[in-house]
Amino acid sequence: MIPGKYRSVSGRAANNVEFKLNKETPSFSGRLLQHDLERNYSSRQGDGRVISPSPRNKSSCISSTTNVTELCGLEMKTAMSSLSAFGDSSIQTPSKSRIRQGCHSAGPNVSGDHITLASSSMPSFPILQRSSEEKILYSDRLTLERQKLTVCPIIDGEEHLRLLNFQHNFITRIQNISNLQRLIFLDLYDNQIEEISGLSTLRSLRVLLLGKNRIKKISNLENLKSLDVLDLHGNQITKIENVGHLCDLRVLNLARNLLSHVDNLSGLDSLTELNLRHNQITFVRDVDNLPCLQRLFLSFNNISTFESVCCLADSSSLSDITFDGNPIAQESWYKHTILQNMTQLRQLDMKRVTEEERRMASVAAKKEEEKKRESHKQSLLKEKKRLTINNVARKWDLQQHRISSIAPNQDRKVSDCPQDPSQLRGSTVSAFPEETGSLDSGLTSALQGLSVTDTHLVEVDGDTLSLYGSGALESLDRNWSVQTAGMVTTVSFTFIEFDEIVQVLPKLKIKFPNSLHLKFKETNLVMLQQFNALAQLRRVDQLTVDPQGNPVVNFTLWKYYVLFRLSHFSMQKINGTEVTQNDMIMAERLFGILAHVASSELPQYRLISILGDARKKQFRYLLETKGKKPGLVNEENSDSKRLVGENTNRATLNYTTRDFYNERLEEIKEKKKFCKMYMEDLVKEATEINMKNEALQKLWPQMFIELVRDAVIEIRNKNSYMKLCLQQITDQK
Amino acid sequence: MLSPERLALPDYEYLAQRHVLTYMEDAVCQLLENKEDISQYGVARFFTEYFNSVCQGTHILFREFSFIQATPHNRASFLRAFWKCFRTVGKNGDLLTMREYHCLLQLLCPDFPLELTQKAARIVLMDDAMDCLMSFSDFLFAFQIQFYYSEFLESVAAIYQDLLAGKNPNTVIVPTSSSGQHRQRPPLGEASMLEGVEASQFSQCLENLCDRHKYSCPPPALVKEVLSNVQRLTFYGFLVALSKHHGINQALGALPDKGDLMHDPAMDEELERLLAQVPGLVNSATANPEAGCLPSRTPPRVGSPWRPLHHARKVDAESDGSTEETDESET
């Protein structure tokens, strides 16, 4: 009975309206079908739909339909079916007129079945005349379908015409109908009209069908105030405009046009159905200004986000909507987002919305919301992290270029009550408790103490401890939970001077005893000897030194030096490359002699002092930590012994940080100064003594002779000498 | 100690000139520094060891730069130590950059100044090719001249500049510390044949300089010999000639001849012993002990048996560039 293609529409119409087929209907529907086949459109479902009455607006629909029918003097059912289909097929009336056009060449009056088309006085327009019986039979309608018309013929003496059908012609311009002022129904489907014009006098026009034409712009509809149905599908319209005054318009069909968006809809106060299928619409606005809109067809457009159609949620009248064929319909969240936001909806994509679906949608939406919040949180954190790292990087660059803007944050204090790092979905994120004010408090509490400070960042992610910025090194002073500390096997340093790292290595060794993999990036590693500092660690399996900010990696020898100096760790990987035995041999070949020279040729006292330095350093640190963890200290002791025993010949190769070294040089300078003075005095004294001694040696022989001579002279006169001696003795008594 | 000069000078000055004071001061300084350790095994023992190590030249290991450059003996000792420790690097055929050599120097002397290494590299390389790779021997001999005769070269540079400017250098008061502005190498070009100064005049000036120079300078006879071979020469040409001169190296006495540069049987033996201790090592390491004794005159060109272990292709590719560089600087 009814062509299957129209089932959804006409089926319902059949439900609602007493629909009695008259004898003409079979042929009519058959023609409809044939008509369909002639169309190029392959998928037209819904395109042709202009009115599809739903139970809700049954009365209004019927009344309006009746209205038209009455006016047209047609049977109601015919109008119904044609209306419901005319989007595509336009109206079909049983009467058929033939027109032969003779406008160009010879214009003899060609007689059709009932109608004669004669050349008018105006040379180019055919004049249409109907036989009188025809006129009586179909007094208010005229069908000029498939007449190969290129222009509108002049229709004479038909002022009472209500319905005019020009379907399937080649008309390029609407003309010669301005006298038909009682026209209610004008069908120009499938012509070649490029502009809407010539309609200004048709004030009572209710239905205007201009589907499948070449119209580029909606215009010249100003006087058609009572327009009820406007069909412009299959044209080249790019923009909705000049329709704001059509306050009685119920149906607007703009399917298969070139619309890129929907806008300018205010004023269409009666619009109940809007068909926008097969356009290129990316966003929809203004729909919430349509108080009566019930059905909106947006299938096969380019809508990809709900945000671009969010005004739909504000429309309270909308009950039926389609989005199929849009990118949005592919999204997993599509259905429940739509249902959640548009609770008034009864049908979505031609399917009835069930309560169950609604419930599911709300649950899903809640989940979505939560997820969103969570991801927002995460992204916020990520962003914070990114910003901080950027900041640290900038600071680092400044520092590297010696632009002396030394961070004023040096005096920032780490609060005395370090929190225990929190577990959060497998990844522990933590930092200092200070400066949490910069984060919103809810977030902070949710993540328990994650905070991102301006100058540094500490992050524990799984088994990796990442430190950015020199301030991050202070985190090693904190009380890390045993679990976290035990889990960390990789420690990564970024934007920190290697010399600063060296100072915390003993702490690192104690706090993160399982750290096996060290990563350095932007740490200013410039010298081979800096690697010496790593020797004091407990164990290093892997070493990754990023070439970025570490010029030492450009040296061909660095890897071998690392292998040589840290040979007691038997490292497995350097910069991600497996260490082979050949590498080990090579390292020994290159630097073995250095170690040998360093250990065997160094004078004993120096050996002791160099080794002692390292040991002393250890002791000093151990003394500091003593009392807290006696167990650890013992372990440390044995550890250091083992270390010293294992490679004494290498232990002499150690690294003192530049600052420390400079300090020591200063110290040495002082000592040297003192020694110089001391030695000067000493040597001067010695040379003086030597000189005196030499002078004495020179004088002594002469002196001796003189002494002897004096003595001899004294005792020459024996008697007087005796007397003198006796005298002296008696004097003494 | 009992040279006749001794009588010509007051004792104190004699000691200072002979650097005896330097060592005595340093000994006391060391004693002061490590007095706790040393007091455990006796001051006399310490002094014995100290002066023994000075004699052996091992006293400069890991010492501060100011001490290392304090006396000619220290300088020579440092050169020898450097050669001894990193001979293996050269033997391996590796060509290194100036910075890398500097790093090696810093392994022995943590505060070794970069400037000195740069100057040495400038003898080997052109000004605009300072990032190029150098062979170990090229660098070592250039470094020897630069390091050992550092002050002398400053003066020579000043004289050279004056000669270039057409001044009479005999009236010039030789600067001993101001450097830098003299270090500009004259631009190379077609005029380079006429570049430089006349050798005979230069030679005379240097003779004068050697006479009154209070720092160590190369034997005047040898300098004369170097200069007698050419008509004109540039400053860097002179330095290159010095660094390549066999006799000057011998006179300096720190390093072996170029031909024997890679030859140190005692240390090689030691190295083999050390290699045998490398954990999990197979005997392959001792497969060709004579390879170590093989004198590799031009390490980059001769395919050293060591090289296959090390990225051989890279070395090959780079060796060409370096020899070119070296040749250029010889002209």
Side-chain angles (χ1 to χ4, degrees):
Chain A
M1 57 181 239
I2 304 291
K5 281 194 175 179
Y6 294 89
R7 205 185 314 136
S8 61
V9 181
S10 319
R12 208 184 299 134
N15 285 337
N16 299 328
V17 187
E18 272 301 318
F19 195 84
K20 204 178 170 218
L21 296 170
N22 62 9
K23 60 177 169 94
E24 286 163 334
T25 312
S27 71
F28 157 69
S29 57
R31 213 182 311 147
L32 253 184
L33 193 60
Q34 185 200 353
H35 188 64
D36 289 339
L37 292 171
E38 283 164 13
R39 296 296 186 74
N40 290 329
Y41 302 142
S42 53
S43 147
R44 297 172 305 113
Q45 187 199 12
D47 279 1
R49 201 162 19 141
V50 178
I51 298 174
S52 46
S54 68
R56 229 164 75 177
N57 67 334
K58 191 202 278 186
S59 58
S60 77
C61 176
I62 288 171
S63 72
S64 66
T65 317
T66 320
N67 231 350
V68 176
T69 322
E70 245 171 38
L71 287 163
C72 299
L74 293 169
E75 288 109 10
M76 178 185 142
K77 38 201 182 241
T78 318
M80 265 309 298
S81 52
S82 51
L83 268 178
S84 61
F86 67 53
D88 281 334
S89 62
S90 189
I91 200 150
Q92 306 285 324
T93 45
S95 75
K96 201 175 169 200
S97 306
R98 285 259 159 89
I99 302 178
R100 288 273 163 77
Q101 196 170 359
C103 50
H104 293 307
S105 53
N109 290 359
V110 184
S111 59
D113 290 345
H114 313 286
I115 302 165
T116 312
L117 215 57
S119 294
S120 70
S121 54
M122 285 159 78
S124 54
F125 293 110
I127 297 169
L128 180 133
Q129 276 163 346
R130 287 199 290 182
S131 62
S132 51
E133 71 236 54
E134 186 79 10
K135 260 186 203 172
I136 292 159
L137 196 57
Y138 303 110
S139 63
D140 54 359
R141 67 181 67 176
L142 175 59
T143 300
L144 293 169
E145 198 184 315
R146 293 179 204 277
Q147 298 301 316
K148 303 200 171 106
L149 293 174
T150 55
V151 291
C152 298
I154 294 170
I155 301 166
D156 226 8
E158 300 270 6
E159 284 76 16
H160 52 277
L161 262 188
R162 302 272 176 105
L163 192 150
L164 182 55
N165 183 349
F166 280 124
Q167 275 195 31
H168 305 293
N169 282 297
F170 305 102
I171 296 166
T172 54
R173 213 182 143 149
I174 309 169
Q175 284 168 313
N176 303 329
I177 55 168
S178 53
N179 55 333
L180 307 174
Q181 294 194 0
R182 301 174 72 181
L183 207 59
I184 286 175
F185 192 111
L186 176 58
D187 186 352
L188 284 161
Y189 174 77
D190 193 16
N191 277 287
Q192 294 171 9
I193 296 161
E194 294 184 351
E195 193 195 11
I196 305 173
S197 63
L199 298 171
S200 54
T201 55
L202 309 178
R203 287 173 188 276
S204 48
L205 198 66
R206 304 284 297 269
V207 178
L208 177 58
L209 308 179
L210 287 166
K212 207 173 172 197
N213 274 291
R214 296 172 183 177
I215 297 163
K216 294 193 165 64
K217 198 174 169 219
I218 307 174
S219 60
N220 296 323
L221 297 172
E222 283 74 21
N223 292 327
L224 309 181
K225 294 233 167 61
S226 39
L227 209 56
D228 190 57
V229 173
L230 176 58
D231 180 18
L232 288 165
H233 85 270
N235 280 290
Q236 295 153 25
I237 296 162
T238 55
K239 199 172 149 191
I240 301 175
E241 58 190 339
N242 303 323
V243 293
H245 60 286
L246 301 171
C247 55
D248 286 335
L249 193 69
R250 279 190 308 114
V251 176
L252 177 57
N253 187 351
L254 284 165
R256 295 187 191 273
N257 273 291
L258 304 170
L259 298 174
S260 62
H261 63 275
V262 179
D263 207 347
N264 272 332
L265 292 171
S266 56
L268 296 169
D269 291 341
S270 309
L271 197 69
T272 55
E273 176 169 322
L274 179 55
N275 189 343
L276 296 165
R277 295 163 52 99
H278 290 285
N279 277 286
Q280 292 139 28
I281 295 165
T282 52
F283 65 89
V284 175
R285 277 204 293 248
D286 230 12
V287 169
D288 44 332
N289 291 327
L290 301 170
C292 296
L293 187 71
Q294 293 174 357
R295 291 171 298 281
L296 176 59
F297 306 109
L298 283 164
S299 313
F300 302 101
N301 274 294
N302 203 14
I303 295 162
S304 52
T305 63
F306 183 72
E307 283 68 38
S308 55
V309 294
C310 62
C311 67
L312 300 179
D314 299 329
S315 167
S316 52
S317 56
L318 205 59
S319 65
D320 189 350
I321 195 162
T322 65
F323 279 116
D324 52 313
N326 278 289
I328 192 176
Q330 305 295 320
E331 304 285 351
S332 58
W333 44 263
Y334 162 65
K335 195 161 186 178
H336 58 79
T337 309
I338 299 287
L339 292 181
Q340 176 67 20
N341 285 286
M342 302 170 69
T343 46
Q344 73 277 27
L345 224 54
R346 304 196 167 212
Q347 259 195 327
L348 175 60
D349 294 335
M350 317 297 288
K351 277 181 219 130
R352 183 166 283 281
V353 178
T354 64
E355 275 312 304
E356 176 68 10
E357 274 175 324
R358 239 184 259 285
R359 211 172 45 74
M360 297 272 280
S362 79
V363 170
K366 252 178 226 159
K367 261 186 207 157
E368 190 77 16
E369 184 69 17
E370 230 160 75
K371 215 190 213 170
K372 218 168 168 184
R373 214 179 302 140
E374 194 52 56
S375 78
H376 175 71
K377 238 184 251 169
Q378 289 296 312
S379 61
L380 194 73
L381 283 178
K382 248 182 220 161
E383 179 62 13
K384 282 265 176 200
K385 181 180 159 187
R386 197 184 61 78
L387 282 178
T388 309
I389 291 175
N390 274 356
N391 191 28
V392 172
R394 206 170 28 110
K395 209 146 250 165
W396 170 255
D397 282 345
L398 282 177
Q399 201 185 332
Q400 290 310 296
H401 295 114
R402 300 284 163 229
I403 297 169
S404 57
S405 64
I406 293 160
N409 304 290
Q410 297 289 11
D411 43 47
R412 249 169 351 91
K413 284 169 204 146
V414 178
S415 90
D416 291 322
C417 48
Q419 286 167 255
D420 212 72
S422 60
Q423 297 286 125
L424 190 89
R425 271 190 282 112
S427 74
T428 315
V429 195
S430 68
F432 302 107
E434 84 267 17
E435 286 191 19
T436 41
S438 60
L439 273 173
D440 72 272
S441 56
L443 208 67
T444 315
S445 64
L447 291 166
Q448 248 218 11
L450 175 130
S451 80
V452 188
T453 56
D454 279 338
T455 52
H456 59 265
L457 182 86
V458 183
E459 186 191 39
V460 180
D461 185 8
D463 60 354
T464 307
L465 169 70
S466 309
L467 306 169
Y468 297 88
S470 61
L473 295 176
E474 290 166 10
S475 69
L476 293 174
D477 287 329
R478 301 174 53 199
N479 290 325
W480 294 83
S481 73
V482 180
Q483 197 189 357
T484 313
M487 223 158 57
V488 170
T489 57
T490 304
V491 184
S492 134
F493 300 93
T494 315
F495 301 121
I496 311 176
E497 282 281 346
F498 187 78
D499 284 4
E500 289 180 64
I501 298 171
V502 168
Q503 285 159 29
V504 300
L505 284 178
K507 282 185 215 160
L508 185 76
K509 185 168 149 189
I510 287 180
K511 299 268 180 169
F512 297 99
N514 293 334
S515 55
L516 297 172
H517 185 179
L518 294 181
K519 284 184 182 173
F520 297 97
K521 186 176 176 183
E522 294 279 10
T523 51
N524 227 355
L525 263 166
V526 289
M527 295 178 288
L528 295 178
Q529 83 215 62
Q530 285 175 309
F531 289 112
N532 293 349
L534 299 180
Q536 58 177 298
L537 287 170
R538 186 195 300 268
R539 231 183 121 191
V540 179
D541 269 3
Q542 278 193 53
L543 185 70
T544 305
V545 184
D546 197 298
Q548 212 180 329
N550 293 315
V552 78
V553 180
N554 298 327
F555 296 161
T556 44
L557 294 176
W558 81 275
K559 207 164 158 183
Y560 297 111
Y561 188 75
V562 168
L563 280 176
F564 153 75
R565 184 60 188 90
L566 307 179
S567 63
H568 58 292
F569 293 141
S570 18
M571 296 224 285
Q572 260 135 54
K573 273 186 184 175
I574 294 183
N575 273 12
T577 331
E578 208 78 45
V579 173
T580 64
Q581 200 166 67
N582 276 352
D583 289 336
M584 296 294 287
I585 295 167
M586 199 64 206
E588 194 65 32
R589 277 226 154 117
L590 288 172
F591 295 105
I593 287 183
L594 174 67
H596 175 71
V597 167
S599 59
S600 65
E601 303 200 348
L602 217 55
Q604 184 76 27
Y605 73 94
R606 292 265 297 146
L607 208 58
I608 287 174
S609 84
I610 288 177
L611 289 178
D613 255 9
R615 235 183 310 167
K616 253 183 264 168
K617 240 185 276 170
Q618 267 167 349
F619 267 108
R620 204 185 307 149
Y621 183 69
L622 289 175
L623 283 176
E624 281 168 19
T625 51
K626 219 173 215 168
K628 284 187 204 161
K629 291 171 192 148
L632 262 180
V633 173
N634 287 338
E635 212 175 307
E636 274 313 301
N637 261 331
S638 61
D639 201 46
S640 64
K641 258 180 229 154
R642 186 184 56 86
L643 188 142
V644 170
E646 204 168 82
N647 57 340
T648 9
N649 67 345
R650 258 144 248 221
T652 45
L653 296 169
N654 51 27
Y655 176 65
T656 42
T657 63
R658 233 166 303 154
D659 293 340
F660 189 70
Y661 190 78
N662 288 340
E663 223 170 84
R664 235 189 72 196
L665 284 184
E666 281 302 308
E667 222 172 86
I668 287 173
K669 225 176 182 178
E670 283 296 304
K671 275 182 189 154
K672 230 177 195 165
K673 222 159 134 195
F674 168 78
C675 290
K676 201 176 161 99
M677 264 160 49
Y678 176 70
M679 279 312 294
E680 216 168 283
D681 290 348
L682 221 62
V683 171
K684 262 192 190 137
E685 207 176 307
T687 49
E688 239 162 68
I689 289 170
N690 188 31
M691 233 156 63
K692 282 177 190 161
N693 201 16
E694 260 174 43
L696 182 69
Q697 289 296 328
K698 250 186 236 164
L699 281 175
W700 181 243
Q702 187 63 32
M703 272 169 69
F704 186 74
I705 289 166
E706 296 280 322
L707 281 173
V708 171
R709 205 173 62 115
D710 284 355
V712 170
I713 288 169
E714 206 177 0
I715 58 168
R716 199 167 53 180
N717 191 337
K718 211 188 275 171
N719 283 339
S720 60
Y721 183 67
M722 262 162 50
K723 244 182 227 168
L724 195 69
C725 289
L726 281 171
Q727 186 67 44
Q728 275 168 353
I729 290 163
T730 49
D731 282 355
Q732 276 173 1
K733 284 180 179 178
Chain B
M1 271 293 184
L2 292 172
S3 66
E5 276 175 70
R6 179 183 167 241
L7 303 172
L9 281 170
D11 296 344
Y12 184 80
E13 273 146 71
Y14 173 77
L15 288 175
Q17 196 214 17
R18 289 280 145 155
H19 304 291
V20 178
L21 284 182
T22 314
Y23 292 113
M24 281 161 71
E25 277 164 24
D26 187 59
V28 175
C29 207
Q30 292 288 312
L31 176 63
L32 209 60
E33 197 142 316
N34 309 302
K35 58 182 171 217
E36 285 153 41
D37 295 325
I38 290 166
S39 60
Q40 284 170 16
Y41 70 96
V43 174
R45 182 79 213 132
F46 161 74
F47 278 113
T48 315
E49 265 183 19
Y50 180 84
F51 287 105
N52 266 339
S53 77
V54 169
C55 287
Q56 284 160 13
T58 57
H59 61 302
I60 41 76
L61 288 170
F62 312 116
R63 290 296 303 271
E64 60 276 6
F65 179 72
S66 58
F67 178 67
I68 286 174
Q69 63 143 23
T71 71
H73 173 66
N74 285 5
R75 293 184 190 197
S77 305
F78 184 73
L79 283 168
R80 190 162 181 84
F82 181 74
W83 166 75
K84 210 172 186 178
C85 290
F86 299 113
R87 179 181 56 94
T88 44
V89 174
K91 196 167 171 178
N92 195 38
D94 278 330
L95 300 169
L96 306 179
T97 60
M98 181 269 290
R99 294 214 165 256
E100 204 156 1
Y101 281 117
H102 181 66
C103 252
L104 295 182
L105 288 169
Q106 281 192 320
L107 283 176
L108 292 179
C109 169
D111 62 340
F112 200 88
L114 182 64
E115 198 199 4
L116 211 51
T117 324
Q118 270 169 338
K119 282 181 183 171
R122 211 164 288 166
I123 297 176
V124 182
L125 301 171
M126 311 301 286
D127 259 350
D128 54 353
M130 286 300 281
D131 291 333
C132 279
L133 301 166
M134 294 173 271
S135 75
F136 183 73
S137 68
D138 279 347
F139 176 77
L140 185 61
F141 284 114
F143 176 72
Q144 166 172 259
I145 295 294
Q146 181 62 52
F147 179 57
Y148 196 84
Y149 296 124
S150 174
E151 291 81 4
F152 171 73
L153 292 189
E154 301 271 340
S155 311
V156 172
I159 289 173
Y160 178 79
Q161 286 300 323
D162 286 336
L163 277 179
L164 264 190
K167 276 191 235 164
N168 184 1
N170 285 332
T171 61
V172 165
I173 293 151
V174 175
T176 49
S177 58
S178 72
S179 63
Q181 69 263 38
H182 300 298
R183 308 296 303 177
Q184 232 90 54
R185 174 178 282 200
L188 283 169
E190 50 188 77
S192 63
M193 293 309 288
L194 288 170
E195 206 74 60
V197 294
E198 214 164 310
S200 56
Q201 198 185 2
F202 193 45
S203 163
Q204 209 161 21
C205 296
L206 292 190
E207 213 173 323
N208 278 337
L209 179 68
C210 289
D211 283 346
R212 63 205 148 104
H213 206 272
K214 56 179 172 173
Y215 294 96
S216 48
C217 47
L222 293 175
V223 173
K224 225 174 195 168
E225 188 193 315
V226 166
L227 291 172
S228 64
N229 294 333
V230 284
Q231 282 290 304
R232 300 183 71 83
L233 84 173
T234 62
F235 179 64
Y236 280 95
F238 174 62
L239 294 193
V240 170
L242 280 188
S243 70
K244 299 217 180 271
H245 197 277
H246 175 72
I248 290 176
N249 182 38
Q250 261 182 349
L252 209 149
L255 303 178
D257 289 346
K258 192 168 181 182
D260 295 331
L261 197 61
M262 300 305 162
H263 191 65
D264 191 1
M267 278 298 150
D268 280 339
E269 216 170 275
E270 195 57 50
L271 185 60
E272 291 306 328
R273 201 180 56 75
L274 286 170
L275 278 174
Q277 291 170 5
V278 170
L281 181 67
V282 262
N283 289 331
S284 66
T286 49
N288 46 1
E290 74 278 7
C293 311
L294 198 81
S296 42
R297 192 168 262 280
T298 45
R301 283 181 206 151
V302 175
S304 151
W306 297 62
R307 273 166 53 196
L309 283 172
H310 194 54
H311 35 257
R313 209 190 300 143
K314 190 178 169 198
V315 171
D316 268 343
E318 286 159 355
S319 70
D320 293 333
S322 160
T323 37
E324 220 176 84
E325 224 24 81
T326 317
D327 291 341
E328 248 178 69
S329 54
E330 273 169 353
T331 54

